[in-house]
Amino acid sequence: MIEDQQPYLSALDTWADWERWRETVLARYRAQGQQCPLGSLMSQLAETPGAPEVISALIERWRAEIERGIRSMQASGLIRAGLDPARCAAAMIAGIQGGVLVLRSTGDLGHLEASMEILFDHLRG
């Protein structure tokens, strides 16, 4: 999942980079529809030994990449300095995963698109 978002996820240094990353995420879920490997793994959390550790490591890596991008954009003056990069990155992950959960339940990509759009607008200020 994280590799599918490369090279954009590791290079969130301009708004064009963020838009390419967003389009990559949306294209992935548009193509896979209601199937999500991370979501499937998360649903097996209680019954799969080691699943919580794997999920935590994946989410932390994903969050750290987004946080790095936010910090880079703050350093460039493209995201306001008052935002907490760690919290914004966590909100991005939660918004994406919430949108994916709705997609998996309904087949509707609109919630994922909306959450990313609103979160980007928040970063832009």
Side-chain angles (χ1 to χ4, degrees):
M1 174 208 62
I2 292 173
E3 294 307 316
D4 287 348
Q5 297 176 26
Q6 299 298 356
Y8 308 112
L9 181 60
S10 293
L12 298 172
D13 300 316
T14 67
W15 282 116
D17 296 335
W18 281 83
E19 291 298 329
R20 282 189 289 270
W21 172 64
R22 182 176 68 86
E23 287 307 314
T24 298
V25 170
L26 293 174
R28 174 181 168 57
Y29 287 108
R30 202 173 286 118
Q32 74 186 28
Q34 292 174 275
Q35 305 303 314
C36 174
L38 181 59
S40 296
L41 185 60
M42 290 173 90
S43 69
Q44 299 171 10
L45 213 98
E47 55 216 42
T48 305
E53 293 81 9
V54 170
I55 292 166
S56 292
L58 284 171
I59 289 176
E60 176 53 27
R61 181 174 165 212
W62 197 12
R63 190 207 55 76
E65 291 279 8
I66 295 168
E67 180 181 345
R68 189 217 55 80
I70 293 169
R71 289 187 187 284
S72 171
M73 295 282 283
Q74 282 179 321
S76 299
L78 299 171
I79 291 178
R80 63 184 184 267
L83 293 179
D84 180 336
R87 286 182 57 81
C88 289
M92 189 73 65
I93 299 294
I96 291 169
Q97 284 304 297
V100 169
L101 181 60
V102 173
L103 170 63
R104 290 183 70 204
S105 302
T106 67
D108 182 2
L109 187 68
H111 294 83
L112 176 59
E113 291 172 325
S115 71
M116 292 188 84
E117 179 182 329
I118 288 170
L119 288 163
F120 278 36
D121 287 349
H122 178 70
L123 292 176
R124 284 186 174 106

